[in-house]
Amino acid sequence: MTGDTKELMTPMMQKVVANFGEMGSRWGINRTVGQIYALLVLSDVPLNADQIGEALCISRSNVSMGLKELGSWQLLSTVHYPGDRKDYFNAPEDIWQIARTLVAERRKREIDPTLSVLRDALMQTPQDERDVYAQKRIHQMHDLMEQLTQVSEEFNQLSTEQLTRLLKLGAGLGKVLDFKGKLTGKS
Amino acid sequence: MTGDTKELMTPMMQKVVANFGEMGSRWGINRTVGQIYALLVLSDVPLNADQIGEALCISRSNVSMGLKELGSWQLLSTVHYPGDRKDYFNAPEDIWQIARTLVAERRKREIDPTLSVLRDALMQTPQDERDVYAQKRIHQMHDLMEQLTQVSEEFNQLSTEQLTRLLKLGAGLGKVLDFKGKLTGKS
DNA sequence: TCCAATTTTCAGTAATTACTGAAAATACTA
DNA sequence: TAGTATTTTCAGTAATTACTGAAAATTGGA
């Protein structure tokens, strides 16, 4: 129904897609899912499952699994064309929005449960000297993770424009910090 | 030579260690390595390979592999006791230092190579309209990753004390940003 | 309702990754 | 130097994870 895909991916796209597949497997996302998403990010037009499978040389069912996973991560939107029943998928325009979603999902799935385990451990009564030390360490880890979580939440609430501005401060972060310290009178 | 380990891990330690093993596998570090490191962080005293293996019920050789990997990440220090040839391992006191090391190593191994692939792609001459769009996206991804990298570098250069202070700003990040915006006169 | 197009599921299999025991290498002591 | 304690390596195997094709389920139209 919609025009064919010619060579599917240019050599440039192939390299980047392959790299993101590689990255994906290092970050606990499977290679195929990483490749699918990279392809959708790089592709000008939305793609259907058959096109994705053909471009990446994977089975239709594997594409379906991958899309299901990406969907559960809230990283896809779908488009339909008149006279064509197929679903066409694409990635958000705003690359920062993608990053925000990734951070938020990852936190929800991995950091939050760990924080909960750490909190449980902190509620318990130490059984011996070893537990006393362990709790000290658990407390440190808990605080660290909670603080980083809070910062990431802050980041996620900034608009893309604000974020860009913040990041452009670059080497100025330490200075802003010192300044703020003086401002509020905190040491 | 050195006293025995009694029950090796308290129930509290067991739960936290198990959770970090689980976490490890989601972050592309293998479960065993995650468990070994959690154990070392929680343990008051340095442990030798046999103690680690016994506590986690894994073979001596697997412990050796795990320690080797952790060593390559610069996350261990070793201790020796007089009259005992064994190596005893432990994790740094400062939990923020551990985080800094993790961030730095991860960047070196995964982000930097990806940035390099993206830069290569940007140097190429687009072959057709699809490449033009792909390059636009690659450019966005490149900038995003480079900016995040720079921020993480900034973070890593702050002292633990500065970092703690910064993170305590918490909900104030957006405000600091706006303030700095006014200060420098940038929109 | 039935039919055809499309997507999803899932049991079986392939591919990858992790783990072990035995052997080799290394480090220390005398 | 030989002898012993300790660590590392690595081929084989186990366990896990990813992928496929066929079948089932779903969707939209007549």
Side-chain angles (χ1 to χ4, degrees):
Chain A
M1 307 281 173
T2 314
D4 69 350
T5 326
K6 296 178 206 159
E7 301 100 22
L8 305 153
M9 282 198 287
T10 63
M12 182 194 292
M13 292 167 81
Q14 282 172 28
K15 278 198 190 128
V16 173
V17 164
N19 179 266
F20 274 74
E22 216 24 69
M23 281 281 286
S25 46
R26 286 180 187 279
W27 287 80
I29 292 149
N30 92 39
R31 193 167 40 79
T32 308
V33 173
Q35 290 179 343
I36 293 174
Y37 203 62
L39 174 60
L40 292 178
V41 169
L42 296 185
S43 174
D44 198 355
V45 294
L47 301 176
N48 66 42
D50 291 318
Q51 293 171 321
I52 295 168
E54 202 183 342
L56 302 175
C57 300
I58 55 180
S59 71
R60 180 62 188 70
S61 49
N62 201 7
V63 174
S64 174
M65 301 287 212
L67 290 171
K68 187 183 164 192
E69 170 127 16
L70 288 167
S72 79
W73 285 76
Q74 315 282 332
L75 286 169
L76 293 179
S77 56
T78 60
V79 176
H80 289 107
Y81 296 107
D84 187 346
R85 287 202 199 162
K86 292 195 176 79
D87 293 333
Y88 287 79
F89 298 89
N90 62 14
E93 285 289 318
D94 181 354
I95 212 95
W96 281 101
Q97 186 49 50
I98 295 174
R100 270 192 282 265
T101 304
L102 277 171
V103 168
E105 288 288 331
R106 199 103 204 197
R107 180 166 73 73
K108 193 163 64 190
R109 292 165 194 232
E110 288 142 27
I111 309 297
D112 289 353
T114 294
L115 275 174
S116 160
V117 168
L118 296 179
R119 265 192 279 266
D120 285 354
L122 289 174
M123 306 279 277
Q124 287 173 32
T125 309
Q127 304 212 333
D128 57 25
E129 339 73 57
R130 283 177 301 161
D131 266 359
V132 172
Y133 182 80
Q135 271 194 341
K136 194 171 104 186
R137 296 297 254 169
I138 291 168
H139 193 253
Q140 293 169 348
M141 290 194 283
H142 173 271
D143 284 1
L144 184 152
M145 290 182 67
E146 193 159 64
Q147 287 181 322
L148 288 181
T149 295
Q150 239 172 338
V151 169
S152 84
E153 228 165 59
E154 277 295 317
F155 266 73
N156 273 6
Q157 279 166 15
L158 298 176
S159 67
T160 296
E161 192 249 339
Q162 279 181 306
L163 203 48
T164 309
R165 185 141 42 88
L166 175 59
L167 294 176
K168 279 197 188 124
L169 288 178
L173 222 172
K175 284 163 199 158
V176 174
L177 175 65
D178 287 341
F179 187 66
K180 173 80 186 181
K182 278 171 196 160
L183 255 189
T184 61
K186 288 179 186 161
S187 74
Chain B
M1 306 283 176
T2 315
D4 68 347
T5 326
K6 297 179 205 160
E7 299 101 22
L8 304 154
M9 281 199 287
T10 63
M12 182 193 291
M13 292 168 80
Q14 282 173 27
K15 278 199 192 130
V16 173
V17 165
N19 180 264
F20 274 72
E22 215 26 67
M23 280 282 286
S25 46
R26 286 178 186 280
W27 287 79
I29 291 150
N30 92 41
R31 193 167 40 80
T32 307
V33 173
Q35 291 179 344
I36 293 175
Y37 203 62
L39 174 60
L40 292 178
V41 169
L42 296 186
S43 174
D44 198 355
V45 295
L47 302 175
N48 66 42
D50 291 318
Q51 293 171 321
I52 295 168
E54 202 183 340
L56 301 176
C57 300
I58 54 180
S59 72
R60 179 63 186 71
S61 50
N62 201 8
V63 174
S64 175
M65 302 285 212
L67 289 171
K68 187 184 165 193
E69 170 128 16
L70 288 167
S72 79
W73 285 76
Q74 315 282 333
L75 287 168
L76 294 178
S77 56
T78 61
V79 176
H80 290 106
Y81 296 108
D84 187 346
R85 285 200 200 163
K86 292 194 175 81
D87 292 333
Y88 288 77
F89 298 89
N90 62 15
E93 285 290 317
D94 182 354
I95 212 96
W96 281 100
Q97 187 48 49
I98 296 174
R100 270 192 281 266
T101 304
L102 277 171
V103 168
E105 287 289 331
R106 200 104 203 198
R107 179 166 73 74
K108 194 164 64 191
R109 292 165 195 231
E110 288 142 28
I111 308 298
D112 289 354
T114 296
L115 275 174
S116 158
V117 167
L118 296 179
R119 265 191 278 267
D120 285 353
L122 290 174
M123 307 279 275
Q124 285 173 33
T125 308
Q127 303 212 335
D128 56 26
E129 338 75 56
R130 282 176 302 163
D131 266 359
V132 173
Y133 182 81
Q135 271 195 340
K136 194 171 104 186
R137 295 298 254 168
I138 291 168
H139 193 252
Q140 292 169 348
M141 291 193 283
H142 174 271
D143 285 1
L144 184 153
M145 291 182 66
E146 193 160 64
Q147 286 182 323
L148 288 181
T149 294
Q150 239 173 337
V151 169
S152 83
E153 228 165 59
E154 278 294 318
F155 267 72
N156 274 6
Q157 279 168 13
L158 297 177
S159 68
T160 296
E161 193 249 338
Q162 280 181 305
L163 203 48
T164 309
R165 185 144 40 89
L166 175 59
L167 294 175
K168 280 198 187 119
L169 289 179
L173 222 171
K175 283 163 198 158
V176 174
L177 174 64
D178 286 342
F179 187 68
K180 173 79 184 183
K182 279 170 197 161
L183 257 187
T184 61
K186 287 180 188 164
S187 72

